[in-house]
Structure formats: C-alpha cells, structure tokens
Amino acid sequence: MKSTMIGNGIAAALLCGASLPAAAGTVAITNAEIHTLGRAGVVAHGTIVIRDHRIDAIGEAVQPPAGARVIDAAGKPVTPGLFDAYTSLGLKEVDAVEESNDAAPSKPRYSAALDAADAFNPRSTLIPVTRVEGITRAATAPEAGESLIAGQGAVVSLGSLSNWLVKPKAAMYAQAGESGAKLAGGSRSAAWAELREAFDEVRHAGMPRLSPDHPSLLGPLDVEALKPVLSGDEPLVLYVNRASDILAALKFAEDENLHLVVRGGAEAWMVAPQLAERQVPVILDPRLDLPQRFEILAARPDAATLLQKAGVLLAIAMDDEFNTHNARNLRQLAGNAVAQGLDKEAALAAVTLNPARIYGVDGTLGSLEPGKIADLVLWDGDPLETTSFPKVVFIDGQEVPATTRQTELRDRYLQRLHLGPYAAGK
C-alpha cells in the first residue's frame, strides 16, 4: 500500500520526499515491509522514522532525515513490538523457590487489594529472555492461587529499569468455571454466589449491615480496589473456559455492569456471537485444542479463527503454568493460529494492538503510527515463523541490547574454553 503518514506539522516536506533536520538519536529504518496494524495497513517498501522516542513518520515516500542513523531493512518485516496479554513476568523467578515467587497469593477467597506493581522486579532475568524475542510490553498479573479474586495487574515495559510502569491497576483478575468451583467448595453456583456477594459488599460499603453477626468478606483495601471494577473503569479479566460458564459470566457482567474480558475461552467459539454483541474480548491460547478437561471438551484448533470472524476482539497469550518462563514463545502461538486459518494480520493484531486495546493503552501503543511510542521490531524473516528472529528491537525509541543471562553465560564459558584446558583452570 502506497501511503505517506504525516506527523508533527511536516506535511509538505514529507510529501515531496525531502530530507528533514534530525534530532539527536533519530533513527530511520528504510526499505522495510512495515506492518503498521494501523490505517496504513502494510507498507510494502517503506521507511519509518523514530524521533524523540516516538514514531515521526511512515511511508514509501519518506526520506531519512539528515544526520539520522539509517538501518537498511533489506525488505524484511517491521512490526509493532509484541504485547503479552497475560503473564507474571517480574513476579516470579523460579517456580520452585518460594522466596522468588510473588505471583500467587495463598489468601483464601479474595485478594483484590493485591497489586502486581508492588512486587514487580524489572531486573528479573526472565525479562531479557522475553525481550530478545520481540516482546516489548506485557500485562503482568497475579496468578489465581487460592483466591476467587486474585488482584490487580499492571501494564509494564520490558525495556527500562526505572520507567517500567506503563499503567498501574490496569485490570482485576478473577476466576470462575472449574477452578472457581474448587475454591467455593466444589460448586459453580457457590462461586458465582460468592462473587456476587463480594461486589454487593462493595456496592454497600459504609452502610450498616443487615446482620452484625455476618462477617465482612472484604477488607477495606479490597473494597477500594474493587470500586473501579464496579464502576466499569477497570476491566475484570475472568478465567472461564466452558461455553455455559462464559454465558454465566456475561450475565454476571451485565447484572453488575462490569467491563468483562474472558481469559481462557477454550469453548468461547461456541458463544462467539454473544461475545461479539456485548463487545467482550477474549484472551485465548490457540494450543488448547484437545478435550483435556471437562470444561474444554469442545476445544478446537481453529477457535481463534472462529472468534475473529465473529467480530470478537481477540488477544493471544499462553494459558499454562509456564506462561512467564515461556512468554518468549508468544509469536509461535500466533503462528499456530495462522496455521489453523487465522488471517496473518489478525494474528499480529492479537499479539500487538488488541492487547493494548484491552488494557486501554492503544492511544500510545500497539501499532506503528505517527505520534505513538516507538516500540517496534525488525525481523530477519516472517515474525510468525519459529525460524525467524529479531534483528533489532526498539522499546520507547531506544534499541535494546540482545543480551540475556544465557548469552552472558555462553560468552563467559566459551572464552574460558578458548583459553585452553590448562589456562582455564588457573
């Protein structure tokens, strides 16, 4: 698509392809296949200019500003930085080491006041491993653990040790379905009753209780944390899989006037029209394609395709206990969905723009458009192929190093090996 996108009052210069004065740190990626995920679609042979941490211009007629650092993409793809819609990055380091794991509270029933941002570690060794695979932002969230309402997640940047917090209290996380029923004594009905009771307590906070003998379910901080959810200002990301559970979740959200997001959603394709009608997004793992549990008996490999075709806002994320350590495989999940019929641009949107929409940060993130923050990746091949790899990753307009704990260990011991067996032992 031939398109010139214009930003910051420089229309005339861009339209004639003129060179522009470069600000310090200005970068131009030329001769690129740019997947903007915005109005311009795919710019087949384009240039993208990064200036002052933001995207300054995109188009086929755009010329690199004078003095800019120029990167020749040689026809390779450029996409927005990937956005993991659900993980516990920064909250856990080693699953088996309790002291390094802050993801799952053991508090029974409710942990609504828990805030993932309070425990986030921007120096986690898992972040560089994830970042070098092209993931630049993530929604980091508490795991459900023993609580129906697990707590609040945050949108974070994977490129900064100091300015990592993008959006605090971005969503509240809870569970229903099979896992919720286990926490409520083995009954789905009991789980829904307990969730309704919790929100009713928030609604009547500060009012005299009808029965003084009935203890409060929520602490004062839990009540305050749930108020934005009850007002619809903060989404409730609810883990449900069975079609009937999803319909129950829709009714629950309608009764309580909640902004609902379905996570899990293995059988969501069966109720896709209802989800689309009520504009409820789904965070799906396309690998859930076998009847491994009773609540996912109708799971199928093309569920992502069916949801997208029905008009459901679709995000892709890993749904297992390895969602943090293997978050780097996000694009492989999207590739699996493409193999089952999902349009490639829709799959890219499911790991870039759509998560940004779900968490309300799409005004600055998720697509490549002038004025947006410059999170982008230059790939050496198809980004949804496992044989491809990022050549350059930019977060907030800054190129991030391709080093990880693993590469540091590799280099250290390769160097010792090259010194010889005797020198290495000195």
Side-chain angles (χ1 to χ4, degrees):
M1 176 186 297
K2 290 190 175 182
S3 169
T4 300
M5 299 182 65
I6 303 161
N8 303 332
I10 53 177
L14 288 182
L15 289 173
C16 66
S19 296
L20 298 167
T26 300
V27 178
I29 302 176
T30 63
N31 191 23
E33 178 188 276
I34 306 172
H35 297 257
T36 70
L37 278 300
R39 295 179 182 177
V42 179
V43 182
H45 303 285
T47 293
I48 180 167
V49 177
I50 302 170
R51 189 195 305 260
D52 296 333
H53 308 287
R54 294 185 178 266
I55 297 169
D56 194 65
I58 300 175
E60 293 187 353
V62 173
Q63 297 298 312
R69 174 192 172 197
V70 177
I71 300 173
D72 184 357
K76 301 298 184 182
V78 171
T79 69
L82 306 187
F83 191 139
D84 194 324
Y86 179 81
T87 182
S88 294
L89 273 170
L91 301 183
K92 63 166 66 174
E93 199 71 26
V94 180
D95 280 325
V97 179
E98 182 179 348
E99 294 80 5
S100 75
N101 190 339
D102 294 303
S106 58
K107 179 181 177 182
R109 297 191 74 179
Y110 303 107
S111 298
L114 188 151
D115 188 343
D118 290 338
F120 183 78
N121 176 21
R123 291 177 172 81
S124 168
T125 59
L126 300 179
I127 289 176
V129 174
T130 304
R131 187 174 60 205
V132 298
E133 293 283 353
I135 300 174
T136 61
R137 310 277 166 162
T140 188
E143 295 177 349
E146 300 299 318
S147 299
L148 280 175
I149 301 177
Q152 301 164 98
V155 176
V156 297
S157 168
L158 305 190
S160 175
L161 295 179
S162 56
N163 297 317
W164 51 266
L165 185 58
V166 177
K167 184 177 182 179
K169 299 176 175 58
M172 183 69 68
Y173 294 84
Q175 56 184 327
E178 283 186 4
S179 57
K182 289 178 182 178
L183 296 177
S187 167
R188 283 174 164 82
S189 298
W192 288 120
E194 290 185 10
L195 287 171
R196 287 191 174 90
E197 190 175 5
F199 279 99
D200 186 66
E201 190 167 310
V202 176
R203 187 175 289 106
H204 295 93
M207 298 180 183
R209 299 188 64 83
L210 294 177
S211 173
D213 297 329
H214 183 61
S216 297
L217 297 173
L218 306 171
L221 294 180
D222 294 321
V223 170
E224 290 303 311
L226 286 170
K227 283 181 178 179
V229 182
L230 193 58
S231 67
D233 295 328
E234 184 178 326
L236 177 69
V237 180
L238 189 63
Y239 185 71
V240 282
N241 279 294
R242 199 172 74 178
S244 61
D245 291 333
I246 295 170
L247 291 178
L250 291 177
K251 183 178 187 306
F252 174 70
E254 183 177 7
D255 292 345
E256 303 290 343
N257 194 31
L258 306 178
H259 176 189
L260 179 67
V261 176
V262 167
R263 187 177 73 84
E267 293 187 357
W269 65 270
M270 301 177 71
V271 292
Q274 294 94 318
L275 289 164
E277 179 184 358
R278 301 186 190 185
Q279 298 182 329
V280 173
V282 173
I283 301 174
L284 179 78
D285 185 340
R287 300 172 307 157
L288 293 180
D289 58 357
L290 295 173
Q292 298 170 323
R293 306 190 303 275
F294 276 102
E295 67 176 352
I296 61 172
L297 290 177
R300 53 188 289 173
D302 59 347
T305 303
L306 297 174
L307 287 168
Q308 193 270 333
K309 287 183 176 179
V312 177
L313 183 65
L314 173 71
I316 288 174
M318 189 169 288
D319 180 17
D320 61 28
E321 64 270 28
F322 305 112
N323 65 57
T324 298
H325 294 80
N326 288 338
R328 55 195 172 85
N329 294 330
L330 180 62
R331 61 194 178 94
Q332 182 178 343
L333 303 185
N336 288 357
V338 171
Q340 297 296 331
L342 185 64
D343 174 78
K344 182 176 289 188
E345 292 302 299
L348 282 174
V351 292
T352 56
L353 181 60
N354 292 355
R357 286 173 171 166
I358 287 172
Y359 294 107
V361 294
D362 53 305
T364 55
L365 296 167
S367 61
L368 301 179
E369 300 175 88
K372 284 198 170 185
I373 294 172
D375 278 18
L376 57 89
V377 184
L378 169 60
W379 304 86
D380 63 10
D382 186 336
L384 301 186
E385 289 285 350
T386 57
T387 53
S388 301
F389 197 75
K391 297 181 70 174
V392 185
V393 178
F394 283 88
I395 301 179
D396 199 26
Q398 301 294 315
E399 183 178 352
V400 296
T403 56
T404 67
R405 178 65 173 161
Q406 286 84 338
T407 62
E408 290 173 351
L409 290 171
R410 176 202 65 192
D411 295 343
R412 174 190 296 177
Y413 290 105
L414 275 177
Q415 183 180 19
R416 290 173 63 87
L417 182 65
H418 291 159
L419 290 174
Y422 300 103
K426 292 181 180 179

